[in-house]
């Protein structure tokens, strides 16, 4: 799997913004096939920051209705990446 396929996008929510305020934790939407080692390698290579640890969780897709038709959103995976002490967030993630 390519490094650019592992990390899909950074997640910007109220919860992830409070986590990012400490300056060490960043949350990404990642590929469902990626494991913690792949995520760590991709973050270190693409962002240039050393990673202390990675926590992952799978978010189940919700059931959605349009009238009498029922559909289901797909499952997705997110990764909480904690940087080592002294590492800085990349500049493009500061305002996100």
């Amino acid at each position: 799997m390519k490094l650019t396929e592992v990390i899909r996008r950074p997640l910007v929510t109220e919860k992830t913004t409070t986590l990012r305020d400490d300056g060490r934790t960043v949350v990404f939407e990642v590929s469902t096939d990626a494991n913690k080692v792949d995520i760590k390698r991709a973050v270190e290579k693409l962002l240039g920051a050393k990673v202390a640890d990675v926590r992952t969780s799978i978010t189940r897709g919700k059931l959605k209705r349009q009238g009498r038709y029922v559909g289901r959103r797909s499952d997705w995976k997110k990764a909480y990446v904690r940087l080592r002490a002294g590492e800085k967030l990349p500049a493009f993630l500061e305002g996100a």
Side-chain angles (χ1 to χ4, degrees):
M1 182 179 299
K2 293 181 184 177
L3 296 177
T4 54
E5 293 174 353
V6 173
I7 298 175
R8 297 233 169 110
R9 66 184 177 103
L11 288 177
V12 181
T13 62
E14 188 173 348
K15 181 179 178 181
T16 61
T17 303
T18 57
L19 285 173
R20 190 177 28 234
D21 286 342
D22 70 351
R24 292 184 60 194
T25 305
V26 187
V27 184
F28 295 103
E29 180 182 343
V30 295
S31 172
T32 54
D33 299 332
N35 57 21
K36 292 181 181 184
V37 176
D38 293 337
I39 295 167
K40 180 179 178 178
R41 192 174 299 138
V43 170
E44 287 180 348
K45 209 56 143 162
L46 295 175
L47 302 182
K50 297 292 182 185
V51 174
D53 67 337
V54 177
R55 294 176 296 150
T56 60
S57 68
I58 295 175
T59 305
R60 303 291 176 200
K62 297 179 180 180
L63 288 175
K64 292 294 182 175
R65 291 181 53 133
Q66 185 79 29
R68 64 181 176 141
Y69 302 104
V70 179
R72 189 171 184 278
R73 290 186 179 170
S74 51
D75 299 341
W76 56 284
K77 190 178 211 178
K78 61 182 161 183
Y80 295 88
V81 178
R82 193 163 59 102
L83 303 177
R84 288 187 188 166
E87 291 289 325
K88 299 288 283 180
L89 285 175
F92 67 91
L93 286 176
E94 288 292 334

